């Protein structure tokens, strides 16, 4: 049997569609379902590999039935399926529906053009954007073009990004971020210099999205430069924090100078967050640099860095925690004691016992907890040895630690002390 011509295919699809339109346009929603499902299955079948002639014929048969003589529910369903299978043959009709009197028809046509793979669909959306004066419709068209990653709309996005209408400028700024190419980044950077704080914050957030995408795409160097530019810009704490976090992820150890600078910031939230980010950067050299910088940071930051050093481990971290036991700040001494509970060795026994004997409250509890947890079998032996040569207050703390550590070898020492 000879293959059907394009006209015959379109006519055959037209007969089927005409038989389904009454059901798809029924007043009762439940009555529409059988016809809608059948039409959807036909549309999906035409998208299978090797069926391009069928797809074009089906779409051509569909678009000629989108006039206002077709019941609205059926028109909506036809448009929804064109969003799945439509190509260049559908663009002209869909573009005409962007000015339809019914807002639901306009919106469904816009969505169909948004997913249409033909470049002519982007042209139609751009033309509609130029022609309309309705802010909410401009926003919808900008969103469609952004979803298509339409570089040809970059100029329009940049123009509307400065619009006084809040929703319109926000959509345009987000669209530039969606493009994420260097020219869009340059347009967003210009907006950061804008005196309007709302637009400025939105542009910075968009730049963060661009930098993050570059980082995930393996473009670490430009991403790091962009993160650094954002971090050096006066912005809300959340934006600043996201920028230094991205900087640490892309530059690793090279980001430490900026992180250390932020640790001295007057904003305690930012400073503490920078300390947490720094201690997550891997590498022994990073541990050493954090340990070296520890004394020059504010006490509240020293306490947070000591927590991070305890988790990192290593000799540099242990030395830093030991030195911090001599701090003038009780919070730092307590943090150092807790850190030595993980990092310490036999040399930590007497300093911790002295701190427990000479302090009170939280600091004493931290020193006792640290002494009870210092790792190593030789630590138990060091505690027993130190009991006999320490001042009474220190000896009491050492004896207490024998029980806390379940040090059976120290029982005779405990009994002797009890007598």
């Amino acid at each position: 049997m000879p293959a059907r011509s394009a006209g015959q295919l379109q006519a055959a699809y037209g007969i089927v569609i005409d038989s389904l339109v009454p059901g798809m346009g029924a007043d009762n929603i439940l009555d529409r379902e059988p016809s809608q499902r059948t039409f959807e299955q036909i549309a999906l079948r035409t998208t299978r590999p090797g069926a391009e002639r069928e797809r074009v014929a089906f779409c051509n048969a569909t678009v000629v039935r989108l006039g206002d003589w077709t019941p609205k529910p059926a028109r909506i369903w036809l448009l929804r399926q064109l969003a799945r299978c439509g190509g260049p043959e559908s663009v002209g009709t869909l573009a005409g529906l962007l000015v339809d009197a019914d807002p639901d028809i306009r919106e469904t046509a816009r969505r169909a053009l948004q997913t249409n793979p033909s470049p002519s669909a982007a042209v139609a959306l751009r033309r509609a954007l130029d022609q309309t004066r309705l802010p909410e419709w401009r926003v919808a068209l900008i969103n469609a073009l952004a979803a298509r990653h339409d570089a040809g709309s970059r100029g329009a996005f940049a123009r509307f990004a400065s619009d006084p209408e809040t929703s319109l400028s926000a959509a345009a700024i987000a669209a530039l971020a969606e493009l994420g190419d260097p020219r869009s980044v340059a347009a967003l950077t210009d907006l950061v210099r804008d005196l309007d704080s709302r637009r400025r914050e939105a542009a910075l957030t968009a730049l963060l999205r661009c930098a993050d995408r570059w980082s995930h795409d393996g473009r670490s160097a430009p991403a790091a430069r962009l993160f650094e530019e954002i971090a050096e810009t006066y912005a809300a704490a959340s934006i600043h924090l996201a920028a230094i976090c991205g900087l640490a992820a892309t530059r690793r150890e090279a980001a430490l100078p900026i992180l250390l600078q932020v640790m001295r910031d007057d904003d305690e939230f930012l400073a503490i967050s920078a300390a947490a980010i720094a201690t997550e950067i891997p590498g022994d050299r990073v541990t050493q640099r954090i340990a070296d910088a520890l004394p020059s940071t504010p006490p509240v930051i020293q306490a947070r860095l000591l927590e991070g050093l305890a988790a990192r481990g290593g000799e540099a971290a242990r030395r830093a925690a030991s030195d911090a036991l001599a701090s003038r700040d009780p919070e730092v001494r307590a943090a150092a004691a807790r850190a030595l509970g993980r990092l310490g060795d036999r040399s930590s026994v007497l300093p911790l016992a002295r701190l427990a004997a000479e302090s009170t409250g939280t600091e004493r509890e931290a020193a006792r907890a640290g002494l009870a947890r210092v790792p190593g079998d030789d630590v138990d032996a060091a505690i027993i040895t130190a009991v006999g040569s320490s001042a009474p207050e220190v000896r009491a703390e050492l004896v207490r630690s024998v029980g806390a550590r379940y040090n059976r070898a120290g029982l005779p020492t405990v009994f002797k002390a009890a007598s």
Side-chain angles (χ1 to χ4, degrees):
M1 182 177 178
R4 292 181 178 181
S5 67
Q8 290 173 326
L9 274 174
Q10 181 175 332
Y13 277 124
I15 293 171
V16 174
I17 295 170
D18 287 339
S19 70
L20 296 173
V21 163
M24 291 188 289
D27 292 333
N28 190 316
I29 293 177
L30 295 178
D31 292 340
R32 300 172 194 166
E33 186 178 352
S35 298
Q36 287 178 338
R37 189 185 304 116
T38 300
F39 185 80
E40 181 182 39
Q41 289 171 349
I42 296 171
L44 290 174
R45 179 170 171 76
T46 65
T47 63
R48 73 188 189 279
E52 179 64 8
R53 288 179 68 252
E54 293 180 33
R55 188 198 64 76
V56 172
F58 172 79
C59 290
N60 282 330
T62 299
V63 296
V64 297
R65 287 162 175 81
L66 286 172
D68 55 11
W69 60 86
T70 300
K72 178 179 174 178
R75 293 175 78 194
I76 294 291
W77 195 254
L78 296 179
L79 286 167
R80 287 183 177 177
Q81 303 319 307
L82 284 176
R84 297 181 172 186
C85 64
E89 70 291 322
S90 310
V91 170
T93 302
L94 293 173
L97 292 176
L98 291 177
V99 294
D100 194 272
D102 189 307
D104 295 331
I105 297 295
R106 289 199 304 271
E107 171 60 14
T108 314
R110 179 194 70 84
R111 295 186 182 191
L113 284 169
Q114 176 178 314
T115 57
N116 192 299
S118 172
S120 60
V123 174
L125 288 167
R126 274 185 244 142
R127 187 178 298 117
L129 180 60
D130 289 338
Q131 294 172 350
T132 186
R133 294 295 177 266
L134 297 173
E136 64 274 15
W137 188 231
R138 280 176 169 172
V139 168
L141 293 168
I142 286 172
N143 289 341
L145 289 163
R148 293 179 64 89
H149 295 88
D150 182 48
S153 300
R154 186 189 300 106
F157 295 162
R159 185 172 69 255
F160 286 120
S162 299
D163 196 275
E165 175 65 36
T166 303
S167 59
L168 185 54
S169 65
I173 288 170
L176 287 170
E178 197 64 35
L179 290 182
D181 61 312
R183 290 174 62 187
S184 298
V185 167
L188 289 168
T189 303
D190 289 341
L191 284 172
V192 171
R193 304 186 185 99
D194 196 311
L195 294 179
D196 185 303
S197 60
R198 171 192 52 79
R199 196 155 43 223
R200 188 172 179 276
E201 295 297 312
L204 284 168
T205 302
L207 285 171
L208 280 173
R209 287 181 57 196
C210 295
D212 191 55
R213 187 180 298 120
W214 289 357
S215 176
H216 285 304
D217 290 346
R219 292 178 285 174
S220 297
R225 286 194 295 272
L226 188 50
F227 278 129
E228 187 170 2
E229 288 176 15
I230 299 168
E232 292 175 349
T233 303
Y234 178 78
S238 58
I239 293 176
H240 201 155
L241 178 57
I244 61 175
C245 191
L247 192 60
T250 50
R251 283 200 173 163
R252 303 278 180 136
E253 184 181 348
L256 273 179
I258 290 179
L259 290 169
L260 290 169
Q261 181 180 346
V262 177
M263 287 180 211
R264 301 179 181 93
D265 197 279
D266 292 336
D267 187 323
E268 190 172 290
F269 169 76
L270 263 182
I272 291 174
S273 299
I277 293 169
T279 55
E280 291 295 323
I281 301 175
D284 292 340
R285 290 205 315 172
V286 174
T287 303
Q288 183 66 63
R289 292 181 67 176
I290 293 174
D292 292 342
L294 184 71
S296 64
T297 60
V300 66
I301 302 304
Q302 290 186 46
R304 299 310 184 278
L305 289 176
L306 284 165
E307 291 176 11
L309 288 171
R312 295 176 72 90
E315 180 60 21
R318 187 197 66 76
R319 286 197 304 268
S322 297
D323 293 343
L325 279 181
S327 171
R328 295 180 179 180
D329 188 274
E331 185 180 354
V332 174
R333 294 195 298 269
R338 286 190 291 269
L340 286 173
R342 299 179 64 176
L343 300 169
D345 56 20
R346 61 181 298 136
S347 68
S348 308
V349 167
L350 277 176
L352 285 171
R354 290 192 189 102
L355 181 61
E358 296 168 0
S359 60
T360 59
T362 302
E363 190 177 352
R364 170 175 281 181
E365 291 174 8
R368 286 176 174 174
L371 187 56
R373 295 190 180 101
V374 177
D377 293 337
D378 59 340
V379 172
D380 290 333
I383 290 173
I384 295 169
T385 301
V387 168
S389 59
S390 301
E393 296 84 356
V394 176
R395 189 183 308 167
E397 294 298 333
L398 291 167
V399 169
R400 179 190 293 272
S401 73
V402 170
R405 294 176 66 88
Y406 297 97
N407 182 359
R408 294 181 180 277
L411 286 176
T413 303
V414 172
F415 291 142
K416 183 176 180 182
S419 64

